[in-house]
Every structure is written in structure tokens, then in C-alpha cells.
């Protein structure tokens, strides 16, 4: 029998940010993944929102803290605080509006200016359900992703297509990076980690329940 | 005795509204010159001196940089009030980002907290230059404040958040 664990217990807390032009569907991707909700009303995000959802990777509980902000410049503020501590990013464009794909390069630059070099980036082509309106060929985006060394998926927040897959893939890859780092440091206790260490939660992050021990069935 | 800014020598420093636009260790876009990462900048001073300076009702100004120190001390006080009640770094970050969305008034405009401290801008261009500098320095201050107000594990540092209850120079914050 598995040990009982509190609902909000987790082994890792990963901050993931959503970025991309206004109107590409960032907020609906967030609500679809965290609450399984979609809203047809297109209301611009003002400021910032975050939501969480936990998934299992291997035998670990990974809690995703996903941040969503405005794509419009006039509603954006304190960019640096938004990106601080992020270990993953979903860079979203709209497959029906080519300009949103053209702007991906600018978003990628901003992301790399503000985050750790090890951040896991997923390029996301949203609104893939609108097949008759497609303006960005899948192969073009795939080639860009390969060139820029990012992951790539097409999604539809409306049809719930690939949304879980996109987030789960990012979280799994972050977990792999973190695990690899732990192994590398473990092999040679004297070695200092090179560059900036991703802070994915020290022992203190473990909940009080876990600290006091759990009952086994 | 209040702690004063060490940025007394202003050779080569641009000004707006009588305020030196001092360098910042910052990647945030704005008019401030970029300072070396290993130097102390005015934001470091404001945070370091905050918990002492916030107790004073009077602040004798010894250099124009002290005016900026006063402004930042007030801003940190405002920011801590927004962080009050935020039990995690995530909630604190959200609150501080929303604070960053609010209008940044310059001398002569309603809402500017220290009438008379800075000379009024002589032109629209000077007003916008000062506004952009204040936006930049506020954002830089907010980021560093989050680092001290919350521990690495994301829990609040009560020794900092307790200062949300102080009123700097008896100014009522709306």
C-alpha cells in the first residue's frame, strides 16, 4: 500500500511562465490545464495571474505554478518579477495569425534575457482546431523550434487538444534537468555547481505534514 | 540620525526635476545608466537603510541623492503594505506586479507624495524622462524587495513585512 500524502504535498514546485502576443490564447491554455475550463469571451489579461496543478513524474509529485500575463505592452508591468525563478516557459503563438509567429523571436529574446540558460522552452501553436484559417505551416514552426533548440507542439485550448501534453512535457523535461543536476552534484561533493543553480525548492519546501512523517496503511 | 546616501558626487550624472538619474545595477529598460554589478547602487542603499530610516519623521537632506532615497524609502513602505497578507512569494509577486501597473506621478501631478521636494519639470520631455526613471527604479526596487521580504522557500520574512505597519514621515498611504 502507498503511504498517505496530504493533498497539497509535493516533491517539487516548478514555476512555468506563459508568454506570447495578445490574443493567442495564453489564458485559456492556463484555465484548460488547471481547471479544465475554456472561455469564448476574449478578455485581455491585465497584470498577472497564476494557478497551480500537480502531476506525477516517475514516482514524484510535481506541482506546477503557472503564470499568465498580458501580451499587450500597456498592461504589462514589472517584467523581471514575472520571470524571476521560472524554470519553464510556454511561448505561445496563434496558428491563424502569422504575425504572432513572427513575434516569437522577440519573446524568445526577452525570455532569455530574464531567465536561466537551462530553462525548458516549449513553442506552442495554439488554435490548431481552426484548420481552414491556418496561416502558419506546422513544418515552419517545427524548423524554427529545432533551430532555436526548443520543444514544439500544436494545441487547441478550445478542443483540449495537446494542452495537457504540452504542460506535462515541459514539467517532465524540467524534472529531468533537475534530476540530472542532482546526480552531477552528487557524484562529486566537492564540485560547485557551475553558473546559476535553478532553485526548485530546498528541503524547506516540503510541507509540514511530510516533515512530521506520514502514516502507512 | 538618518542614514544618508553616499552618492554625493554627481559629476557627469544627468538630472530631471532636480534629481540625479543615478546608475542602477539593472537590466530593466529605462533611462538610468548601468552600474557594475559589484557596486552598491541607490536601490541597495534604500533597502539597506529602510528599516532604520522609516522610523524618522524628519529627514535632513544633505545631497540631491537623499531626495531619491526619501522617495524610495516611501516606495518600499508602499510596497510592503501591498505585500501584507500575502502568505507566499507567488502571491507577493502578483501583488507587486499589480502595483507596478499603477500610474507613476511626477512632481506637480496629483498623487506625487512629496510636493516641494523636487522642482517641477520645466517641460513635458523632462516630466516623461523623470517618470520613466521612476518606473525603472521602482521596478528594480520591487524585485530586490521580494528577495528580502520572502525567504528562499517562499515564506514571508516577518522582520520585513512587519514594517508594512510603519508610516514614513507620517504620510498617509491611500
Amino acid at each position: 500500500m502507498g503511504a498517505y500524502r496530504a493533498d497539497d504535498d509535493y516533491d517539487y514546485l516548478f514555476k512555468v511562465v506563459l508568454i506570447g502576443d495578445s490574443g493567442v490564447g495564453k489564458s485559456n491554455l492556463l484555465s484548460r490545464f488547471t481547471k479544465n475550463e475554456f472561455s469564448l469571451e476574449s478578455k485581455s489579461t491585465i497584470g498577472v495571474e497564476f494557478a497551480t496543478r500537480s502531476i506525477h513524474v516517475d514516482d514524484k509529485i510535481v506541482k506546477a505554478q503557472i503564470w499568465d500575463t498580458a501580451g499587450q505592452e500597456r498592461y504589462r508591468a514589472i517584467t523581471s518579477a514575472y520571470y524571476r525563478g521560472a524554470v519553464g516557459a510556454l511561448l505561445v503563438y496563434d496558428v491563424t495569425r502569422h504575425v504572432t509567429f513572427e513575434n516569437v523571436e522577440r519573446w524568445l529574446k526577452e525570455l532569455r534575457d530574464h531567465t536561466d540558460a537551462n530553462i525548458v522552452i516549449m513553442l506552442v501553436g495554439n488554435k490548431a482546431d481552426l484548420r481552414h484559417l491556418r496561416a502558419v505551416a506546422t513544418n515552419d514552426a517545427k524548423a524554427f523550434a529545432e533551430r532555436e533548440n526548443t520543444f514544439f507542439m500544436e494545441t487547441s485550448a478550445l478542443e483540449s487538444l495537446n494542452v495537457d501534453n504540452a504542460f506535462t512535457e515541459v514539467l517532465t523535461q524540467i524534472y529531468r534537468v533537475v534530476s540530472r543536476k542532482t546526480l552531477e552534484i552528487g557524484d562529486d561533493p566537492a564540485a560547485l555547481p557551475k553558473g546559476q543553480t535553478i532553485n526548485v525548492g530546498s528541503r524547506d519546501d516540503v510541507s509540514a505534514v511530510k516533515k512530521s512523517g506520514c502514516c502507512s496503511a | 540620525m538618518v542614514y544618508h546616501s553616499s552618492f554625493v558626487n554627481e559629476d557627469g550624472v544627468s538630472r530631471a526635476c532636480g534629481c540625479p538619474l543615478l546608475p542602477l545595477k539593472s537590466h530593466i529598460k529605462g533611462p538610468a545608466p548601468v552600474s557594475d554589478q559589484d557596486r552598491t547602487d541607490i536601490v541597495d542603499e534604500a533597502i539597506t537603510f529602510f528599516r532604520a530610516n522609516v522610523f524618522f519623521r524628519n529627514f535632513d537632506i544633505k545631497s540631491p541623492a537623499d531626495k531619491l532615497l526619501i522617495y524610495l524609502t516611501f516606495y518600499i513602505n508602499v510596497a510592503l503594505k501591498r505585500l501584507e497578507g500575502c502568505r507566499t512569494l507567488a502571491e507577493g509577486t502578483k501583488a507587486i506586479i499589480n502595483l507596478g501597473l499603477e500610474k507613476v506621478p511626477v512632481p506637480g501631478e496629483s498623487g506625487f507624495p512629496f510636493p516641494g521636494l523636487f522642482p517641477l519639470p520645466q517641460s513635458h520631455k523632462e516630466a516623461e524622462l523623470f517618470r520613466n526613471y521612476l518606473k525603472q527604479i521602482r521596478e528594480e526596487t520591487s524585485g530586490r524587495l521580494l528577495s528580502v521580504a520572502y525567504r528562499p522557500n517562499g515564506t514571508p520574512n516577518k522582520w520585513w513585512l512587519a514594517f508594512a505597519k510603519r508610516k514614513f514621515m507620517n504620510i498617509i498611504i491611500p
Side-chain angles (χ1 to χ4, degrees), chain A residues 15 46-50 65 67 69 73-82 84 113-114 199 202 204-205, chain B residues 27-29 75 88-91 93-94 96-101 138-139 142-144 146-147 152-154:
Chain A
K15 176 173 175 176
I46 299 177
V48 72
E49 292 294 336
F50 69 87
Q65 183 188 89
W67 290 72
T69 188
E73 189 72 25
R74 64 194 166 107
Y75 291 138
R76 306 187 69 212
I78 311 202
T79 308
S80 53
Y82 180 71
R84 174 188 296 251
D113 282 347
H114 285 91
N199 183 359
S202 60
D204 285 340
D205 269 328
Chain B
H27 298 297
I28 295 159
K29 56 187 173 185
Y75 177 73
T88 65
L89 171 61
E91 288 168 16
T93 301
K94 180 175 176 177
I96 223 72
I97 288 176
N98 285 331
L99 174 59
L101 277 169
R138 282 163 65 120
E139 174 165 351
S142 293
R144 294 187 214 175
L146 285 171
S147 297
N153 69 353

Side-chain angles (χ1 to χ4, degrees), chain A:
Chain A
M1 298 282 293
Y4 172 80
R5 302 190 74 164
D7 281 348
D8 63 349
D9 191 18
Y10 53 83
D11 296 297
Y12 295 98
L13 173 67
F14 294 153
K15 176 173 175 176
V16 174
V17 294
L18 282 157
I19 56 173
D21 277 2
S22 177
V24 296
K26 301 186 292 297
S27 297
N28 264 321
L29 285 167
L30 175 63
S31 60
R32 177 63 79 189
F33 180 66
T34 57
K35 295 181 286 184
N36 199 22
E37 291 171 6
F38 180 91
S39 170
L40 280 170
E41 180 191 0
S42 59
K43 197 171 73 173
S44 288
T45 305
I46 299 177
V48 72
E49 292 294 336
F50 69 87
T52 61
R53 180 180 152 184
S54 293
I55 67 166
H56 287 83
V57 180
D58 295 347
D59 60 346
K60 303 295 185 186
I61 299 178
V62 170
K63 183 173 183 178
Q65 183 188 89
I66 304 167
W67 290 72
D68 178 32
T69 188
Q72 293 183 55
E73 189 72 25
R74 64 194 166 107
Y75 291 138
R76 306 187 69 212
I78 311 202
T79 308
S80 53
Y82 180 71
Y83 287 113
R84 174 188 296 251
V87 290
L90 272 73
L91 211 176
V92 188
Y93 69 94
D94 176 347
V95 300
T96 71
R97 287 191 290 140
H98 202 274
V99 66
T100 67
F101 178 65
E102 292 156 27
N103 287 334
V104 161
E105 198 145 6
R106 178 174 62 82
W107 285 108
L108 198 52
K109 181 182 185 310
E110 179 175 283
L111 185 66
R112 289 189 162 141
D113 282 347
H114 285 91
T115 58
D116 187 81
N118 289 295
I119 189 171
V120 175
I121 303 169
M122 165 81 66
L123 179 63
V124 174
N126 194 33
K127 309 194 188 187
D129 54 285
L130 301 174
R131 294 163 190 85
H132 54 300
L133 296 175
R134 176 178 285 272
V136 182
T138 304
N139 285 343
D140 288 351
K142 193 176 292 185
F144 179 91
E146 283 172 1
R147 217 160 49 235
E148 294 291 344
N149 198 30
T150 75
F151 294 94
F152 170 67
M153 261 185 216
E154 286 181 343
T155 63
S156 166
L158 187 152
E159 291 188 351
S160 201
L161 169 77
N162 258 357
V163 175
D164 274 22
N165 286 344
F167 282 100
T168 302
E169 180 67 17
V170 167
L171 295 166
T172 301
Q173 294 303 328
I174 296 167
Y175 173 76
R176 303 263 182 263
V177 170
V178 169
S179 299
R180 194 181 319 130
K181 269 181 175 290
T182 304
L183 285 176
E184 284 168 6
I185 294 170
D187 282 351
D188 184 2
L192 292 174
K194 288 172 188 157
Q196 180 188 340
T197 304
I198 298 177
N199 183 359
V200 294
S202 60
R203 192 172 172 281
D204 285 340
D205 269 328
V206 179
S207 73
V209 172
K210 183 162 185 178
K211 281 178 180 174
S212 62
C214 302
C215 302
S216 296

Side-chain angles (χ1 to χ4, degrees), chain B residues 96-115:
Chain B
I96 223 72
I97 288 176
N98 285 331
L99 174 59
L101 277 169
E102 293 175 16
K103 181 174 176 278
V104 178
V106 296
E109 295 177 359
S110 68
F112 189 78
F114 299 99

Side-chain angles (χ1 to χ4, degrees), chain B residues 6 13 21 25 36-37 45 51 54 72 74 82 86 93 102 117 165:
Chain B
S6 64
V13 178
L21 305 185
K25 299 184 299 190
D36 295 333
Q37 288 294 315
E45 287 189 341
R51 287 185 290 181
V54 74
L72 289 179
F74 173 74
R82 297 306 181 87
C86 295
T93 301
E102 293 175 16
L117 181 65
K165 293 176 164 54

